[in-house]
Amino acid sequence: MHMNKDNDNDKKIISRTLDRLYDSKSSPNHGFVCLLVLYFVTTFIVSTSANALSEITIFGHSLPVYSFAGVFSAVANICVILLAVYYDKKGFLCALVVLLVQIPMILMGVIFRGNLSSLPGLFANLFAIITIILIYKNNKKISSYQNKVRDMAVTDIMTGIPNGFACDELIRALIKKNERFANVCIDLNGFKDINDTMGFEAGNIVLIEIASRLKQIADEGTSGTLDFVGRTSGDEFSLMIRNFSSEDQLKATLEKYDAAISQKLNVYECDFFISAAFGYTIFPDDGNTVDAIVSHSNTAMNEVKRVNSSNHFLRFTGDLLSTEKTLETESKIRAAIENDTIFFMLQPQFDLSHKLRGFEALARMKDEKGKIISPGEFIPVAEKVGLIDKVDGIVYKKAGKFIGDLIKQTGSNISLSINVSVRHLMKNDFLTEIDNLLMSSGIPPAQLEIEITESVMIESINKAMSRINTIHDMGIMIAIDDFGTGYSSLSYLNEFPANLLKIDKSFIDKLNTGDKSKQYVAGIISLGHTMGFDVISEGVEEEEQVDTLREIGCDLIQGYIWGKPLLPEDAGKLVKG
Ligand code: C2E
Ligand code: CA
Ligand code: CA
């Protein structure tokens, strides 16, 4: 009983929100009082003026007082009509009572005092009564339609339980009340198979049955907590659980729902069993907006599905977000490989006389909707999940073919720099891959450069060193990328068979902020030169930076100031002049 009352309360909360949406606020109470007072005042004036014999003078004309009775009577009738229009049942009943009370009074005047002049008033009264009855009936019809529409707005038509909108509204209201609650996202396992093998209708029967089992537990309150259940979409349900004293009690409630879902289902004479994944979020600990709460519960639910263990419940934690993001990006990368939507851009590198040295190939990727995902986002994921060699491979092949053809066409001595991640570099077939690249593209080894980040020297230098030496022996150039961001030891740097040192953008950004920063970059440049490397500055955006770099002896520049990453055809134009 107690539970039903609370569910009624929930409905009121949702209903109030709908009122707000419809913007149909109830009319103010003081309006009601004013109309009633105005009615009595005008009625009193009518009854006293109707029989008055005196006259008043207006603009030199004398008028009998009783001739004003009609005006006041009209105002009085308008008051009762307004009461009926704006104050529903209360207004209607009140108007009816005051109109009905007058009838015997008028009749008594006619009978006992022979006051026939008030007879027309009686007819006016009857008309007013008919009018307010019609208004009331009409209002009732409109509000019953409105209620139907409102019910439809908060009810899931198929299962008859509240829909996602109602769930969101309840969450919003509970947040506002600052009441502790758990939001649970429930997703049925294998529901798609039921739809696929037995048809949509069977699927619908399952959803209706599951909804009724969930609703029964919520309504009966057998779980011991205060629960509200809704269907948010397809085979997803949502629970709002309140009044739990501990997480154990919350889990006990979830187990009740889980057990109800797992019970045998019978559809078209077939018995089968279904299970569900439960992800939940506790307000305020795990989220404090409707969006955060709903999406966090979803994240936790997805993790239950992914892990696919016997444990059907999981509470949201922050770690899940990065896992989820990684998974999402991973599936985008796989799709991009499959659909061939990984491509490359070419960022030019120049010497300080603004002569083109070559290009760095930078990976780009489009997701299935055609949105470009930045390499800052997908390269680290590709590295983590072991897809980087595939991504690199595509960039190498496409950029290699383009630059190889360009060199053949123009005879230019431009270089192509490609990035390699440590995990890719260490693969057994990396050297074969590079060999094949040289063969298929026709790029002379001395015009191919492999960029290896400085972090290699810290993490895997011993393993990587022999491989890097082999690459060097093949006549390919090696660049140390992002120099300055790691802490490579000078002794390793000295052994490193590099041609080029790439100073990281973060140093170039600070270059002109003070003498110290400038001296620091000058130090790197002279260190590079001592080791026998050329030095290139990355991320140069300002003329002043170019001036300083020229002054301190930098050899090359790569940055937006002289060239953003370009589409291949634009890079081609730059070479052909
Ligand atoms: P990176 O190798 O250090 O590449 C330079 C990055 O700095 C590029 O970003 C480039 O667009 C950007 N950049 C260059 N000049 C300027 C400038 O003046 N201002 C600013 N604000 N940015 C500039 P992008 O293309 O987003 O690449 C990010 C990183 O992704 C690269 O850093 C590289 O580590 C990685 N990456 C890109 N393509 C590949 C690839 O094919 N394979 C591998 N393994 N990693 C790649
Ligand atoms: Ca690079
Ligand atoms: Ca870099």
Side-chain angles (χ1 to χ4, degrees), residues 27 95 110 432 500:
S27 313
V110 173
T432 321
L500 188 71

Side-chain angles (χ1 to χ4, degrees), residues 276-290:
F278 292 65
Y280 63 96
T281 301
I282 297 178
F283 171 82
D285 314 359
D286 312 330
N288 51 17
T289 62
V290 180

